Amino acid sequence: MKKIASFSIDHLLLLPGVYVSRKDVTPSGDVVTTFDIRMTAPNRQPALSIPALHAMEHLAATFLRNHPQWGDRIVYWGPMGCCTGNYLLLNGDYSSSDIIGLLKQTFSFISDFEGEVPGASPKDCGNYLLMNLPEARMAARDYLKILSSPDLPLSYPGS
């Protein structure tokens, strides 16, 4: 089998940042941009816990889909299997710099969130007990610092 593009990125050089992973053209001609929202350095920093990522997924997806300017462009927000970040898919042709403000709003929302995580009930979620809001909030605060760095990586190493 042919190696897919995302497995061709040198993860030993990859830093936390915001990367365009791919751009796909739908049969109708629309562009969908997939972002790699990399929160930790793969294989060098601890991965995020699944309960933190799950809480973050519920919060970010709810915030993004309700966003007054971006909500209708959100296709998907979800965790990476390697637990080093999340994917964001948007309808439209975007660069990493286009979404920094949106990501800052999203991670601020997560870091400040108090109360019941949206959709964290047996009726609404297939594994509602597997959430850790305090850890999600701490990871969001840490990533906000990265998003605010003047050295924020916006393109993959070697690209």
Side-chain angles (χ1 to χ4, degrees):
M1 280 191 190
K2 183 178 167 186
K3 192 177 200 180
I4 63 172
S6 62
F7 296 151
S8 298
I9 303 299
D10 188 343
H11 285 66
L12 297 173
L13 301 176
L14 194 56
L15 297 172
V18 179
Y19 306 98
V20 172
S21 176
R22 60 187 290 159
K23 293 185 182 188
D24 297 291
V25 179
T26 67
S28 64
D30 296 327
V31 175
V32 175
T33 305
T34 299
F35 290 95
D36 170 340
I37 311 301
R38 190 67 59 158
M39 297 178 66
T40 67
N43 304 305
R44 297 179 310 285
Q45 292 179 316
L48 301 163
S49 78
I50 293 172
L53 277 169
H54 192 199
M56 192 175 295
E57 174 191 13
H58 279 238
L59 291 165
T62 300
F63 177 81
L64 290 166
R65 289 187 179 125
N66 284 286
H67 195 280
Q69 292 148 335
W70 289 90
D72 62 345
R73 294 179 251 181
I74 304 300
V75 175
Y76 174 77
W77 172 279
M80 295 177 176
C82 62
C83 301
T84 62
N86 295 276
Y87 290 112
L88 171 62
L89 279 70
L90 292 174
N91 278 319
D93 187 356
Y94 299 102
S95 69
S96 296
S97 59
D98 292 331
I99 66 161
I100 300 304
L102 175 64
L103 291 177
K104 286 179 178 179
Q105 291 174 30
T106 303
F107 282 94
S108 291
F109 173 78
I110 295 167
S111 70
D112 295 337
F113 188 84
E114 294 182 12
E116 293 296 316
V117 174
S121 73
K123 178 179 171 270
D124 298 335
C125 178
N127 201 357
Y128 77 101
L129 293 176
L130 186 70
M131 295 206 196
N132 186 323
L133 178 58
E135 198 174 326
R137 291 178 60 185
M138 184 172 31
R141 280 192 291 274
D142 290 345
Y143 194 61
L144 273 170
K145 292 175 194 167
I146 292 166
L147 287 172
S148 298
S149 168
D151 300 322
L152 174 69
L154 300 177
S155 59
Y156 285 126
S159 61

